[in-house]
């Protein structure tokens, strides 16, 4: 397991209550989904498999990318994938690098359920781990990050103001 993966799990686990954050060492990458649409891909896979006799659930979490020596950083990307009733994890999203490590974070799923009507997206903001500190992506296109001291779930989502 990458050092960043281990540090992330320790830091995040403090804020997930009954949902332990855990590294998932084996996830079968089957593809077939649309790039940059992991939530929709995961939801579609759940729906498609439910038409048959196979029960599939959506999994919320993160992809921890390999360490980037040039920037002394590790990207931690919010991600959704699936698991079947036997505990086999699989991912229909394309473009997942073999070097990325999957980290299940069911507290994200729970947060989405509890705040569904107020969320503009079920995909959490991604993170950067640099110099042993975490930063949350505020604007991925313009590469703008905001330092955060704690990995609280609410820091990863923007709530829509209700009128």
């Amino acid at each position: 397991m990458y050092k960043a993966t281990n540090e992330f799990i320790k830091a995040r686990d403090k804020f997930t209550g009954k949902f332990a954050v855990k590294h998932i060492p084996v996830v079968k990458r089957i593809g077939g989904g649309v790039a940059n649409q992991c939530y929709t891909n995961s939801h579609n896979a759940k729906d498609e498999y439910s038409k048959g006799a196979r029960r599939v659930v959506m999994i919320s979490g993160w992809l921890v990318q390999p360490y980037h020596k040039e920037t002394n950083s590790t990207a931690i990307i919010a991600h959704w994938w699936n698991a079947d009733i036997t505990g086999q994890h699989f991912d229909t999203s394309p473009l997942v690098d073999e070097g990325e490590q999957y980290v299940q974070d069911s507290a994200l799923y729970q947060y989405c359920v509890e705040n569904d009507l107020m969320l503009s997206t079920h995909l959490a903001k991604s993170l950067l781990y640099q110099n042993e500190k975490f930063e949350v992506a505020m604007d991925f296109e313009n590469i703008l990050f905001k330092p955060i001291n704690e990995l609280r779930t609410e820091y990863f989502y923007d709530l829509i103001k209700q009128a």
Side-chain angles (χ1 to χ4, degrees):
M1 184 177 351
Y2 298 142
K3 177 185 176 190
T5 302
N6 191 41
E7 293 301 315
F8 174 71
I9 289 171
K10 285 193 302 188
R12 177 74 181 120
D13 220 22
K14 298 174 188 174
F15 302 100
T16 59
K18 64 182 178 182
F19 302 107
V21 181
K22 58 185 175 182
H23 173 241
I24 306 297
V26 178
V27 177
K28 185 175 182 182
R29 294 162 174 92
I30 63 174
V34 178
N36 301 313
Q37 296 294 320
C38 64
Y39 178 82
T40 302
N41 295 336
S42 177
H43 202 286
N44 289 345
K46 178 186 73 76
D47 290 347
E48 189 62 33
Y49 283 103
S50 72
K51 292 177 186 175
R54 191 171 172 200
R55 183 170 175 250
V56 167
V57 295
M58 296 173 67
I59 305 293
S60 57
W62 310 88
L63 290 172
V64 180
Q65 295 185 337
Y67 171 74
H68 296 278
K69 187 176 181 177
E70 308 79 43
T71 60
N72 188 33
S73 67
T74 301
I76 302 172
I77 309 299
H79 193 63
W80 288 80
W81 66 96
N82 299 89
D84 66 20
I85 198 158
T86 68
Q88 299 299 309
H89 289 248
F90 64 95
D91 193 348
T92 59
S93 293
L95 306 175
V96 176
D97 183 338
E98 289 292 326
E100 294 176 326
Q101 295 183 341
Y102 286 80
V103 175
Q104 183 174 339
D105 186 343
S106 297
L108 297 177
Y109 188 100
Q110 184 64 34
Y111 188 83
C112 289
V113 168
E114 292 172 356
N115 296 283
D116 184 52
L117 296 176
M118 296 183 294
L119 293 174
S120 61
T121 180
H122 289 105
L123 186 63
K125 293 178 181 179
S126 294
L127 302 167
L128 186 69
Y129 182 65
Q130 188 172 40
N131 300 320
E132 299 184 8
K133 295 185 191 274
F134 294 97
E135 297 180 21
V136 65
M138 301 307 289
D139 182 346
F140 221 68
E141 272 184 35
N142 295 308
I143 312 172
L144 296 175
F145 290 85
K146 175 183 173 185
I148 52 176
N149 294 324
E150 300 174 319
L151 297 181
R152 292 183 179 277
T153 307
E154 56 269 24
Y155 292 176
F156 308 140
Y157 293 93
D158 291 326
L159 295 178
I160 300 171
K161 304 275 190 235
Q162 300 282 325

